[in-house]
Amino acid sequence: MFSPKKKKIYTKKEALPKIAAYCAYQERTQNEVRTKLLDYGLDLDEADKLVILLTQEKLLDEERYAQSFVRGKYSLKRWGRRKIQQGLKAKGISDFCIRKGLQEIDPDVYWENLLHLLEKKNKSEGERNPLARRQKIQYFLQSKGYELDLIQDAWKELGL
């Protein structure tokens, strides 16, 4: 019959190279690393000591994580500031690191993303009633994390 795979329990010495490779593969948060270490069978004190060691060795850096997260979300997924900020808060990133990460946003590219999304949604929206149409598009852009004042400025610029 089927038997579930037993999790291997690692010692602190065995876990260090594994978690270092885990951190080197892509940017991680301290919470992600701590959770992974607990999955390896380490206790909370050992996990915290390894997190501190990884931070000192520059393998783990939440400021760098926040910057990478922001670059990816605003350039690839075209998220707005508010949604990015919520995403970082959900990951347990500090307010300081969030502010540092948000500095990665180029205002010109951010504006172009908003205009692109507005034009694209305006073409695809099936609603015929102009007020309902505008409201649906505005809700969509707000759900993407864009600020209401910028959305209204974009409407004006496009003459919609």
Side-chain angles (χ1 to χ4, degrees), residues 120-134:
K120 187 175 175 184
K121 187 66 175 174
N122 190 42
K123 286 178 185 169
S124 68
E125 182 56 54
E127 181 64 51
R128 293 289 170 226
N129 180 338
L131 290 176
R133 178 188 189 84
R134 185 178 176 107

Side-chain angles (χ1 to χ4, degrees), residues 60-71:
L60 190 59
D61 185 345
E62 289 206 332
E63 190 175 316
R64 196 173 61 213
Y65 175 86
Q67 291 169 337
S68 173
F69 184 92
V70 169
R71 277 191 306 271

Side-chain angles (χ1 to χ4, degrees), residues 51-100:
V51 166
I52 290 168
L53 179 66
L54 291 168
T55 303
Q56 289 171 341
E57 296 294 321
K58 300 286 186 220
L59 283 168
L60 190 59
D61 185 345
E62 289 206 332
E63 190 175 316
R64 196 173 61 213
Y65 175 86
Q67 291 169 337
S68 173
F69 184 92
V70 169
R71 277 191 306 271
K73 298 304 181 191
Y74 105 95
S75 63
L76 298 175
K77 294 198 175 216
R78 297 178 191 243
W79 283 8
R81 283 185 191 93
R82 289 179 33 236
K83 189 166 183 174
I84 292 171
Q85 201 168 10
Q86 289 171 342
L88 287 169
K89 277 191 187 290
K91 296 267 188 185
I93 304 297
S94 71
D95 289 339
F96 173 79
C97 290
I98 291 173
R99 282 192 301 277
K100 284 292 220 180

Side-chain angles (χ1 to χ4, degrees), residues 2-151:
F2 175 75
S3 61
K5 208 175 180 185
K6 290 184 181 178
K7 281 189 178 179
K8 185 173 190 296
I9 305 297
Y10 293 93
T11 65
K12 191 175 171 183
K13 222 175 204 174
E14 293 171 329
L16 182 59
K18 281 189 71 67
I19 204 68
Y22 179 71
C23 290
Y25 179 71
Q26 77 180 42
E27 295 295 335
R28 309 281 182 183
T29 66
Q30 289 181 4
N31 288 340
E32 289 172 333
V33 171
R34 191 174 291 109
T35 301
K36 190 76 161 173
L37 288 169
L38 295 175
D39 286 348
Y40 287 168
L42 274 66
D43 64 27
L44 192 57
D45 285 341
E46 289 175 320
D48 285 339
K49 286 177 185 172
L50 281 179
V51 166
I52 290 168
L53 179 66
L54 291 168
T55 303
Q56 289 171 341
E57 296 294 321
K58 300 286 186 220
L59 283 168
L60 190 59
D61 185 345
E62 289 206 332
E63 190 175 316
R64 196 173 61 213
Y65 175 86
Q67 291 169 337
S68 173
F69 184 92
V70 169
R71 277 191 306 271
K73 298 304 181 191
Y74 105 95
S75 63
L76 298 175
K77 294 198 175 216
R78 297 178 191 243
W79 283 8
R81 283 185 191 93
R82 289 179 33 236
K83 189 166 183 174
I84 292 171
Q85 201 168 10
Q86 289 171 342
L88 287 169
K89 277 191 187 290
K91 296 267 188 185
I93 304 297
S94 71
D95 289 339
F96 173 79
C97 290
I98 291 173
R99 282 192 301 277
K100 284 292 220 180
L102 288 174
Q103 290 175 357
E104 290 291 308
I105 295 176
D106 177 359
D108 295 332
V109 175
Y110 188 77
W111 179 249
E112 291 301 318
N113 285 348
L114 174 57
L115 292 176
H116 172 79
L117 287 172
L118 176 55
E119 288 174 331
K120 187 175 175 184
K121 187 66 175 174
N122 190 42
K123 286 178 185 169
S124 68
E125 182 56 54
E127 181 64 51
R128 293 289 170 226
N129 180 338
L131 290 176
R133 178 188 189 84
R134 185 178 176 107
Q135 189 175 34
K136 280 185 171 185
I137 294 171
Q138 188 168 307
Y139 285 155
F140 167 75
L141 293 171
Q142 284 181 301
S143 74
K144 287 290 246 177
Y146 288 94
E147 300 85 346
L148 187 56
D149 59 332
L150 285 178
I151 294 170

